[in-house]
Amino acid sequence: MRTALREWAFNANRRSEAPRDVLAILRWVERNSLPVSAWEDPAKVDDVLRAIDTRLDGKQAAAWSRKRHRRILNVVMKYAIRRRILRANPLPKGKDATTATRTTNAVDKRCLMNAEQAAALLDWIRRRPRGGKRLHAFFATLYYCGPRPEEAIAMRVRDVSLPGVEADDQWCELVIHTATPEVGKQWTDTGEIHEERDLKGRAEGDTRTVPGHPALTRILRQHIEDEGLKPGDLLFQGESGGILAGSVIRRAWRSARRAVLPPHVFESPTGKRVYDNRHTRLTKWLNDGVPPAQVAEWAGNSVPVLLATYARCVEGQLPDLKRRLEAAGDLPDLPGAD
């Protein structure tokens, strides 16, 4: 039933193509669904909210899931009002709407990798027999420059500015301007798994430039040479030359963690997601003293979002801050004071 609703009923492009067995399920759902007028009953609204806050096993869903479900439900209500199916939004507003779904955007420090762990993971991926060097260049870009994975796979060779081999300054430069997230071929107009979009949270056509460590310069220079890539080619390609699949990326990262990390670390949040390469890099920039405004520019975030997300991960600066505060001096001694 869930598949019939998700893949056919809720997908306007496929709804008319639903097979007979799916249509039978959807007709049953239609017969057994409450009328929209049920939203006018506060008790029914409470029942719905209680249901979307509960997992299938009867336990309470995670805070982020509850918040997402309520956000989606509010979008449905707004659509119903716009189509004049409902007169007003029956869902709770203000404090009543958020009390049960308090969440935080802060990154869990446990997901961050230290330098030794990152080096070991990247080295294992590089030695991987099947496509290891290609994937190593991809993960190295995530680690050294912190782009979102969907931004990295959208990059072209021309988006990388590499210095000359003999140049004194061996820092490279990446221009990030497009993202190609995986949305599923049944949800795109083109039938492709990925959909090309502008950068997250940025104006249409906006770009950002990120410096790349000399170590990344060497990796990308060798990668482009080994693959025989031309300026218009995708920088990171799949085996058949197309977009690098998310399933391949996640499988390689999971295998590297299992092979490299001790069992207790593998079971922990340390580097559990591919996205944790970005978290690790942005935190390192902040801990290295790069101004938050500059880190936000490189990361494609606003400064408030950056600080709210990574403030808990900034460490190692307390001794220096104490010295600065001590240098400012104490209160002056007053005449006659004992």
Side-chain angles (χ1 to χ4, degrees):
M1 185 185 296
R2 290 164 62 88
T3 301
L5 290 169
R6 183 183 64 247
E7 301 294 331
W8 304 97
F10 301 154
N11 190 329
N13 293 332
R14 304 183 69 196
R15 193 176 300 154
S16 61
E17 303 171 1
R20 183 174 300 177
D21 56 339
V22 171
L23 288 174
I25 295 173
L26 297 181
R27 282 195 292 267
W28 184 93
V29 171
E30 186 176 2
R31 289 195 304 271
N32 290 273
S33 295
L34 292 173
V36 178
S37 59
W39 285 108
E40 298 176 0
D41 182 353
K44 293 295 184 185
V45 174
D46 290 341
D47 289 343
V48 171
L49 294 178
R50 193 177 303 110
I52 66 172
D53 288 348
T54 306
R55 302 189 318 192
L56 293 178
D57 60 6
K59 297 180 180 179
Q60 188 181 56
W64 269 112
S65 295
R66 304 199 305 272
K67 186 174 183 178
R68 184 177 68 252
H69 294 163
R70 292 183 179 227
R71 187 185 300 124
I72 293 170
L73 198 55
N74 266 293
V75 173
V76 174
M77 295 299 105
K78 291 178 181 178
Y79 177 78
I81 293 169
R82 190 165 64 248
R83 297 296 296 268
R84 298 182 180 180
I85 299 172
L86 289 176
R87 290 174 293 181
N89 189 339
L91 301 179
K93 300 175 180 62
K95 291 184 179 180
D96 292 338
T98 59
T99 301
T101 54
R102 194 176 297 276
T103 59
T104 177
N105 292 323
V107 166
D108 185 349
K109 290 177 64 173
R110 298 176 300 168
C111 78
L112 304 179
M113 299 172 286
N114 60 40
E116 289 73 21
Q117 291 168 338
L121 289 166
L122 289 176
D123 184 64
W124 187 92
I125 290 172
R126 182 177 62 82
R127 298 172 184 273
R128 190 171 182 258
R130 187 173 176 179
K133 291 185 178 179
R134 271 199 317 273
L135 288 169
H136 174 254
F138 171 79
F139 284 111
T141 300
L142 296 188
Y143 177 77
Y144 282 110
C145 291
R148 299 176 179 90
E150 62 267 25
E151 295 171 342
I153 63 173
M155 292 181 61
R156 303 277 173 175
V157 176
R158 59 171 172 261
D159 298 327
V160 181
S161 178
L162 297 174
V165 178
E166 303 298 330
D168 294 332
D169 184 355
Q170 283 297 307
W171 283 76
C172 63
E173 194 172 75
L174 275 59
V175 178
I176 300 173
H177 55 82
T178 307
T180 54
E182 282 186 327
V183 296
K185 60 183 179 181
Q186 69 269 36
W187 297 102
T188 60
D189 294 333
T190 61
E192 300 291 335
I193 296 176
H194 296 80
E195 184 175 67
E196 187 171 306
R197 299 178 182 175
D198 289 306
L199 298 182
K200 182 179 179 181
R202 287 293 183 267
E204 184 177 351
D206 200 4
T207 67
R208 71 177 192 271
T209 303
V210 187
H213 192 277
L216 181 63
T217 299
R218 294 191 295 271
I219 293 170
L220 291 182
R221 182 184 288 126
Q222 191 64 50
H223 168 69
I224 293 171
E225 181 180 334
D226 290 346
E227 297 294 317
L229 300 177
K230 299 178 181 178
D233 293 340
L234 286 169
L235 183 61
F236 307 114
Q237 302 178 1
E239 288 187 343
S240 59
I243 294 178
L244 186 58
S247 58
V248 173
I249 296 168
R250 292 187 293 272
R251 186 164 56 247
W253 187 250
R254 187 166 55 249
S255 298
R257 289 186 74 251
R258 184 178 291 108
V260 168
L261 302 177
H264 70 282
V265 180
F266 174 76
E267 296 297 334
S268 76
T270 303
K272 195 164 189 177
R273 302 184 305 157
V274 173
Y275 207 94
D276 290 331
N277 283 280
R278 172 177 166 86
H279 289 326
T280 299
R281 173 49 49 186
L282 269 58
T283 301
K284 190 173 187 332
W285 278 335
L286 290 170
N287 283 328
D288 288 345
V290 180
Q294 183 62 75
V295 175
E297 171 64 25
W298 290 342
N301 285 337
S302 66
V303 174
V305 168
L306 179 80
L307 295 179
T309 305
Y310 297 100
R312 296 181 185 177
C313 301
V314 178
E315 57 186 20
Q317 300 180 15
L318 185 57
D320 180 57
L321 294 175
K322 287 180 178 178
R323 285 192 295 270
R324 293 186 188 184
L325 293 173
E326 286 182 2
D330 200 351
L331 293 174
D333 294 331
L334 298 178
D338 293 335

